[in-house]
């Protein structure tokens, strides 16, 4: 069964994502503009009434996301993809033969060359959010890129480049 997630803009507050479980319970997450998140459980007899509202710190939200088998960062990027027309996210693995293994992110000049941004790097189950230009890539790193289709394809080509003469 496919789960439907409803997204609702909350003017002046942020965004709410709701889902209905197979058992009929409705729950959601309110992502406030200031970065705060609340886990919301709705009253089973009145789906518009909140039964419980649980504020979550960043660490608690990340731990809950890990428990549920998803990365908090990737979930936020997925939501961003839905909100921004034409903006996509993609995970791109850095192959062992890439010329950028053991080199710095800044050496790729990916943003300048493609207008796409590397917003995170996944390595050994850890998420490095907003890596600095001095971040060194390793074989098998997975970069999270945000941009247009053309930009994402460009970053993929750059990272796959195995020619040391570029």
């Amino acid at each position: 069964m496919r789960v439907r997630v409803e997204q609702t803009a909350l003017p002046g507050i942020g965004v709410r994502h709701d889902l209905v479980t197979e058992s009929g319970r409705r729950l959601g997450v309110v992502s406030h503009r200031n970065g705060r998140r609340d886990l919301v459980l709705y009253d089973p007899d009145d789906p518009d009434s909140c039964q419980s509202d649980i504020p979550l710190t960043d660490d608690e939200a990340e731990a809950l996301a890990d428990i549920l088998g998803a990365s908090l960062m990737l979930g936020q990027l997925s939501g961003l993809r839905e909100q921004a027309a034409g903006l996509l996210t993609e995970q791109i693995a850095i192959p062992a033969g890439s010329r950028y293994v053991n080199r710095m992110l800044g050496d790729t000049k990916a943003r300048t060359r493609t207008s796409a941004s590397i917003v995170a790097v996944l390595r050994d189950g850890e998420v490095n959010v907003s890596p600095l230009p001095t971040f060194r890539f390793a074989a098998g790193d997975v970069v999270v890129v945000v941009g247009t289709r053309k930009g994402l394809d460009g970053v993929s080509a750059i990272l796959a480049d195995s020619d040391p003469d570029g």
Side-chain angles (χ1 to χ4, degrees), residues 32-51:
H32 296 262
R33 291 172 58 180
N34 65 5
R36 191 180 101 204
R37 278 173 298 285
D38 293 315
L39 183 61
V40 180
L41 182 61
Y42 297 96
D43 186 322
D45 298 322
D46 181 2
D48 293 326
S49 177
C50 178
Q51 186 176 32

Side-chain angles (χ1 to χ4, degrees), residues 90-94 118 120-122 137 141-145 155 159:
E90 191 164 278
Q91 297 179 48
I92 302 169
I94 298 181
I118 295 174
V121 179
L122 312 175
F137 290 121
D141 281 353
V142 176
V143 298
V144 179
V145 185
V155 172
L159 295 176

Side-chain angles (χ1 to χ4, degrees), residues 111-124:
R111 188 179 348 208
T112 302
R113 294 166 65 185
T114 68
S115 296
S117 296
I118 295 174
V119 297
V121 179
L122 312 175
R123 178 185 291 163
D124 299 326

Side-chain angles (χ1 to χ4, degrees), residues 6 10-11 22 34 49-50 55 64 84 90 99 105-106 118 151 154:
E6 295 177 3
L10 303 173
E22 191 172 322
N34 65 5
S49 177
C50 178
L64 181 59
E90 191 164 278
R99 67 181 292 186
L105 180 148
I118 295 174

Side-chain angles (χ1 to χ4, degrees), residues 7-21:
Q7 177 179 314
T8 305
L10 303 173
I13 297 171
V15 178
R16 184 182 76 212
H17 292 88
D18 295 328
L19 66 90
V20 177
T21 66

